Amino acid sequence: MKTLLVFAATAAIAITAQAQDWPQRPVRVIVPFAAGASPDILARIVNDKLASRIGQPLIVENKPGAGGNSGTDQASKAAPDGYTFLLSVNAPLVYNTILYKNLPYDPFKDLVPVSLAATTPNVCAVSNGMNVDSVKSWLEALKRNPGQFNFASTGNGSISHLGVELVKLKTRSFAVHIPYASSGQAVTAIIQGDVQFACLPPVSVMPQAKAGRLKAIAVTSAERSALLPELPTLRESGLPDIQAVPWFAYMAPKGTPDAIVQRMSREIAAVLKDPEVQKRLQTAYFDPVGSTPEALAKFMGEELRRWKPVIERTGLKPD
């Protein structure tokens, strides 16, 4: 027993020392989406200040594919040494555990929460060729023309996918889902007429809306966004049960020393409170959060309980 106690104490000292010495080399942040997608933009804004706080560069590695599953899987299988983190979103961290029978990782078992970094309201946008200018006329067009319109998303099971599926369910309408690798590609598809509408992150939608290349008609948040006060919510536009908000969270491979996870969480929270960072995030339509690992774990559990019955009720399957 004495030997075991000595061993445990020695191991604890070693882990503490490792955390105190961390980091000794650059830290990579895997983003499971393409460059220019919302998680990528968020990571690069945060990284600038975070690097100065931890004393080492943070290198973004874009690993797109399978709606975020590929990069999230790679992060879950990385060495848990504190030199790999993940910045991912709703679907690969929660929703895909319901949608996919053979997901190659379990986000609740193979990853550990670090920090809920930010949220952003999706913006529902329509092509100019659809000839609608409000939620009411959009829904009327869907009902009049079942199956005649396509809608874009950032991947199967993404909140941009589920949000529209929920709209279809509530309005008994139908449109064809076309998934894309990033919000930028999805917006381009609207402009080109390959799809007629989508509910996507504002950082991709609003510059094109302001340029007149498409029309922004609503946000998917419960309340009007302070960053987009001119846009009504779907709730106030006649869809009271619709709330579908993208969120972004830092995770780490299971087994990453808790002291490193806690330090990274504190540093991220500090960066998100920085006025300069907040200004840059708000320009990109992000609402910074910054949470403890424990709060993120609780939040993910709540998201799973909230969306599981919705996904099961709609009968959604990966396209």
Side-chain angles (χ1 to χ4, degrees), residues 225-290:
S225 169
L227 304 175
L228 296 161
E230 72 278 14
L231 293 180
T233 66
L234 289 176
R235 284 185 168 189
E236 65 184 278
S237 302
L239 293 169
D241 298 327
I242 307 295
Q243 180 184 349
V245 176
W247 49 265
F248 309 83
Y250 282 90
M251 308 287 286
K254 182 180 179 181
T256 301
D258 184 62
I260 292 177
V261 170
Q262 294 291 343
R263 165 138 186 235
M264 187 66 154
S265 179
R266 291 193 300 271
E267 299 292 6
I268 291 169
V271 166
L272 291 173
K273 292 177 181 176
D274 182 278
E276 180 184 341
V277 171
Q278 289 191 342
K279 184 177 180 180
R280 292 181 64 191
L281 289 174
Q282 290 167 359
T283 299
Y285 303 101
F286 291 109
D287 289 311
V289 181

Side-chain angles (χ1 to χ4, degrees), residues 20-309:
Q20 289 176 342
D21 292 340
W22 177 89
Q24 295 296 310
R25 63 179 189 271
V27 175
R28 68 171 176 160
V29 178
I30 293 177
V31 173
F33 295 93
S38 293
D40 176 74
I41 293 170
L42 175 62
R44 295 178 191 278
I45 292 174
V46 172
N47 280 3
D48 287 348
K49 286 286 185 179
L50 191 55
S52 65
R53 291 189 65 88
I54 69 172
Q56 289 288 342
L58 286 100
I59 301 169
V60 172
E61 291 190 9
N62 297 99
K63 302 287 185 180
N69 288 350
S70 295
T72 303
D73 181 42
Q74 289 183 50
S76 73
K77 293 176 172 57
D81 56 7
Y83 290 93
T84 298
F85 289 86
L86 168 75
L87 180 58
S88 196
V89 298
N90 315 41
L93 291 181
V94 175
Y95 311 152
N96 289 353
T97 62
I98 311 164
L99 283 165
Y100 290 81
K101 290 183 178 179
N102 298 305
L103 201 64
Y105 64 93
D106 184 335
F108 292 92
K109 295 180 180 179
D110 301 328
L111 294 164
V112 293
V114 178
S115 179
L116 178 63
T119 63
T120 187
N122 267 348
V123 173
C124 294
V126 298
S127 68
N128 290 332
M130 200 172 177
N131 296 317
V132 301
D133 57 7
S134 67
V135 173
K136 181 180 178 180
S137 57
W138 169 48
L139 296 180
E140 288 174 348
L142 288 181
K143 291 178 181 179
R144 284 197 311 268
N145 303 280
Q148 297 303 304
F149 298 120
N150 299 332
F151 75 93
S153 80
T154 54
N156 289 303
S158 65
I159 197 65
S160 59
H161 177 202
L162 295 183
V164 175
E165 292 291 351
L166 197 52
V167 169
K168 288 165 55 179
L169 179 68
K170 296 295 183 181
T171 59
R172 298 182 181 180
S173 58
F174 179 71
V176 180
H177 175 221
I178 309 293
Y180 289 85
S182 70
S183 55
Q185 292 178 15
V187 167
T188 298
I190 298 175
I191 295 169
Q192 293 177 342
D194 298 326
V195 300
Q196 284 67 53
F197 68 92
C199 296
L200 299 164
V203 67
S204 297
V205 172
M206 294 312 297
Q208 304 301 332
K210 291 176 179 178
R213 299 187 181 97
L214 48 74
K215 294 177 183 176
I217 58 174
V219 291
T220 61
S221 50
E223 306 293 338
R224 287 205 185 203
S225 169
L227 304 175
L228 296 161
E230 72 278 14
L231 293 180
T233 66
L234 289 176
R235 284 185 168 189
E236 65 184 278
S237 302
L239 293 169
D241 298 327
I242 307 295
Q243 180 184 349
V245 176
W247 49 265
F248 309 83
Y250 282 90
M251 308 287 286
K254 182 180 179 181
T256 301
D258 184 62
I260 292 177
V261 170
Q262 294 291 343
R263 165 138 186 235
M264 187 66 154
S265 179
R266 291 193 300 271
E267 299 292 6
I268 291 169
V271 166
L272 291 173
K273 292 177 181 176
D274 182 278
E276 180 184 341
V277 171
Q278 289 191 342
K279 184 177 180 180
R280 292 181 64 191
L281 289 174
Q282 290 167 359
T283 299
Y285 303 101
F286 291 109
D287 289 311
V289 181
S291 76
T292 64
E294 295 77 16
L296 174 54
K298 180 181 178 182
F299 174 78
M300 288 173 62
E302 291 170 348
E303 280 284 280
L304 180 64
R305 289 187 293 274
R306 187 162 76 92
W307 281 97
K308 185 176 181 179

